[in-house]
Amino acid sequence: MSPFILSDADLATKTDLAALRRARITVADAHDDYAATLIDDYLAARSGGRVDQMALIRDHAAAFDPQLVDEFDGFDYPAAA
């Protein structure tokens, strides 16, 4: 993943460079970036013990990509020795 992340402001800019950036972003890239953001947010909520926020993120993830909920469940599943 690139260390340079485009913000909404970058994508909204009306320059030729911004148009080129928008043209190169694929649906798969946007999906992967958003899924990674949901996972990061879930882990932050989990480490802070914010159960209500974790539930909201799980609900949103289930609507976005049900497999993400399986990923979240994996964080609490004991590893095999």
Side-chain angles (χ1 to χ4, degrees):
M1 184 184 296
S2 170
F4 304 105
I5 297 179
L6 298 176
S7 68
D8 291 338
D10 292 328
L11 295 175
T13 304
K14 302 293 185 203
T15 65
D16 291 339
L17 181 57
L20 183 60
R21 286 179 178 169
R22 284 190 299 273
R24 291 187 177 172
I25 295 175
T26 65
V27 172
D29 291 338
H31 181 276
D32 291 345
D33 289 345
Y34 192 65
T37 300
L38 285 174
I39 291 171
D40 289 343
D41 291 346
Y42 184 81
L43 289 174
R46 184 175 178 265
S47 69
R50 296 185 305 265
V51 178
D52 56 336
Q53 188 173 7
M54 289 170 57
L56 287 173
I57 294 169
R58 287 177 68 89
D59 289 344
H60 190 74
F64 174 70
D65 184 352
Q67 290 180 342
L68 280 178
V69 177
D70 295 336
E71 295 285 333
F72 296 156
D73 292 340
F75 294 128
D76 296 318
Y77 190 77

